[in-house]
Amino acid sequence: SAVISQKPSRDICQRGTSLTIQCQVDSQVTMMFWYRQQPGQSLTLIATANQGSEATYESGFVIDKFPISRPNLTFSTLTVSNMSPEDSSIYLCSVPLAGGTDTQYFGPGTRLTVL
Amino acid sequence: QKEVEQDPGPLSVPEGAIVSLNCTYSNSAFQYFMWYRQYSRKGPELLMYTYSSGNKEDGRFTAQVDKSSKYISLFIRDSQPSDSATYLCAMASTNAGKSTFGDGTTLTVKP
């Protein structure tokens, strides 16, 4: 199994500012995923981050708003830029289980509140 | 219409009850079916994983997939207060790491 940590665990930010969320995995993985979980709703995939290439964004999410870095096989960051209250959400990173199945390990999440 | 619809809940049962959690889907290409459990203020954790149709049992948990009806279920026997959590169904069509999640059902098991 993979152990995933995220920083910060929670933050309260002002409108118009940016927050960078870090995701650290205890083993090397090719793919990392970033999800958003808005209050009372399910998980929505933001983007897939592959080491050595540009992140692939899902419909409705753009790089200018959610830039992602993937400097190595154990680490990734997601920045939420120019935040508004609508960005208040839990942000989760995940990695696939070994063997490349669609099952995933999730990090504990970052709870973001934008005032 | 959403690709995955999950019974919304919330669901409250007494300890020891049998719990049934259900999802329907519209995409016939889905082949991988997962159930995740999410405790409050935690990330989801994989509970059960099934490929294609059939049943899978793990302790008190049984996952059922009926592809002909596009319907999946998770049964919890002898439910415990520690089972109180939000349960998310998830499905995928390929081995490409992209899952579509249901909205979750929040379960409370009362002692």
Side-chain angles (χ1 to χ4, degrees), chain A residues 10 31 33 35 37 40-43 45 48 56 58 90 92 97 99-109 111, chain B residues 32 34 36 38 40-46 48-49 88-89 92-104:
Chain A
R10 58 173 55 217
M31 300 169 74
F33 306 103
Y35 284 86
Q37 187 175 29
Q41 297 185 28
S42 191
L43 284 76
L45 181 64
T48 302
T56 302
E58 297 301 305
I90 299 172
L92 297 142
L97 265 64
T101 66
D102 286 279
T103 52
Q104 300 166 43
Y105 291 110
F106 284 88
R111 186 177 295 268
Chain B
Y32 302 87
M34 289 73 72
Y36 290 86
Q38 186 174 21
S40 180
R41 302 185 183 278
K42 300 286 187 181
E45 58 176 325
L46 180 66
M48 298 285 284
Y49 164 70
L88 300 160
C89 63
S93 57
T94 68
N95 202 16
K98 292 185 179 180
S99 297
T100 302
F101 287 81
D103 286 346

Side-chain angles (χ1 to χ4, degrees), chain B:
Chain B
Q1 184 184 1
K2 294 181 180 179
E3 275 191 303
V4 177
E5 298 277 1
Q6 184 167 359
D7 288 354
L11 199 56
S12 181
V13 301
E15 184 174 354
I18 297 174
V19 176
S20 173
L21 303 167
N22 308 296
C23 290
T24 59
Y25 62 95
S26 57
N27 187 345
S28 58
F30 286 146
Q31 300 183 71
Y32 302 87
F33 304 92
M34 289 73 72
W35 285 96
Y36 290 86
R37 178 174 61 195
Q38 186 174 21
Y39 290 114
S40 180
R41 302 185 183 278
K42 300 286 187 181
E45 58 176 325
L46 180 66
L47 198 58
M48 298 285 284
Y49 164 70
T50 309
Y51 173 71
S52 195
S53 283
N55 293 359
K56 186 172 186 177
E57 187 173 321
D58 184 1
R60 297 184 295 110
F61 298 89
T62 300
Q64 284 188 352
V65 175
D66 182 349
K67 291 187 72 178
S68 62
S69 301
K70 297 188 178 67
Y71 189 88
I72 71 170
S73 299
L74 177 70
F75 297 97
I76 307 174
R77 292 184 300 280
D78 187 25
S79 56
Q80 303 294 310
S82 59
D83 295 328
S84 298
T86 296
Y87 290 81
L88 300 160
C89 63
M91 308 175 189
S93 57
T94 68
N95 202 16
K98 292 185 179 180
S99 297
T100 302
F101 287 81
D103 286 346
T105 302
T106 298
L107 169 68
T108 301
V109 181
K110 297 182 176 180

Side-chain angles (χ1 to χ4, degrees), chain A residues 7-96:
Chain A
K7 290 181 181 180
S9 59
R10 58 173 55 217
D11 208 341
I12 300 173
C13 300
Q14 296 297 320
R15 180 195 298 262
T17 62
S18 298
L19 177 72
T20 296
I21 302 167
Q22 300 179 8
C23 179
Q24 180 77 51
V25 187
D26 69 342
S27 57
Q28 294 184 337
V29 292
T30 304
M31 300 169 74
M32 295 179 74
F33 306 103
W34 286 98
Y35 284 86
R36 180 173 72 183
Q37 187 175 29
Q38 294 181 303
Q41 297 185 28
S42 191
L43 284 76
T44 302
L45 181 64
I46 297 172
T48 302
N50 292 313
Q51 198 272 333
S53 63
E54 294 289 327
T56 302
Y57 289 83
E58 297 301 305
S59 176
F61 297 96
V62 295
I63 188 171
D64 289 346
K65 176 67 175 177
F66 298 101
I68 288 172
S69 78
R70 184 79 203 275
N72 58 53
L73 291 173
T74 64
F75 187 79
S76 178
T77 67
L78 170 77
T79 299
V80 186
S81 304
N82 189 24
M83 290 183 285
S84 66
E86 292 71 35
D87 294 319
S88 296
S89 188
I90 299 172
Y91 292 86
L92 297 142
C93 67
S94 75
V95 301

